[in-house]
């Protein structure tokens, strides 16, 4: 019998935000399957490696192709920031806003906005 290579789900009290309604509840429910797949079925190194490669491509290529390479990074970071927002302190929130602002400005420069 082959060993089970699946990783367990992270420890925690709740997967969803307690009392969430509307958009947050819908996003959390729709995110459950991709998050579960990403964190249990895909090797741990895949997501960071892919994101770093895309980010490096965005830095290296100074035209719209570099901007397009950074867009999935913005989407992924924004998605995780949105999901983790209720549990963050002010420092974590500022860091995520700063990171997303930097990435949006990087994409804007690649598309010739500055």
């Amino acid at each position: 019998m082959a060993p089970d290579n699946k990783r367990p789900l992270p420890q925690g009290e709740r997967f969803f935000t307690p009392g969430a309604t509307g958009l947050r509840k819908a996003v959390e429910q729709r995110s459950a399957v991709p998050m579960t797949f990403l964190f249990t079925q895909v090797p741990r190194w895949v997501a960071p490696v892919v994101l770093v490669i895309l980010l490096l491509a965005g830095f290296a290529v100074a035209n719209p192709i570099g901007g397009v390479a950074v867009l999935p990074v913005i989407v992924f970071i924004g998605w995780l920031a949105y999901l983790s927002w209720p549990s963050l302190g002010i420092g974590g929130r500022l860091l995520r806003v700063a990171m997303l602002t930097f990435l949006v400005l990087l994409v804007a420069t690649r598309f010739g906005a500055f």
Side-chain angles (χ1 to χ4, degrees), residues 7 33-43 47 76 79-80:
R7 291 181 285 152
V33 172
M35 281 185 71
T36 303
F37 176 77
L38 180 66
F39 295 127
T40 61
Q41 303 298 314
V42 178
F76 186 78
W79 174 57
L80 289 180

Side-chain angles (χ1 to χ4, degrees), residues 1 10 18 34 42 44 46-47 51-53 55 59-60 63-64 78 83 89-90 94 97 104 107-108:
M1 195 171 199
V42 178
R44 290 178 191 235
V46 171
L51 292 173
V52 166
I53 289 170
L55 191 58
F59 283 127
N63 61 36
L83 291 175
I90 189 72
L94 287 174
V97 169
V104 167
V107 169

Side-chain angles (χ1 to χ4, degrees), residues 12-95:
E13 293 180 20
R14 293 185 171 92
F15 186 71
F16 299 108
T17 303
T21 59
L23 179 63
R24 171 157 295 282
K25 184 175 181 179
V27 170
E28 288 179 354
Q29 287 176 343
R30 288 183 171 258
S31 296
V33 172
M35 281 185 71
T36 303
F37 176 77
L38 180 66
F39 295 127
T40 61
Q41 303 298 314
V42 178
R44 290 178 191 235
W45 58 268
V46 171
V49 167
V50 169
L51 292 173
V52 166
I53 289 170
L54 290 171
L55 191 58
L56 289 175
F59 283 127
V61 181
N63 61 36
I65 294 172
V68 170
V70 179
L71 289 176
V73 177
I74 291 174
V75 169
F76 186 78
I77 299 292
W79 174 57
L80 289 180
Y82 181 79
L83 291 175
S84 65
W85 196 264
S87 65
L88 295 174
I90 189 72
R93 290 179 179 186
L94 287 174
L95 182 61

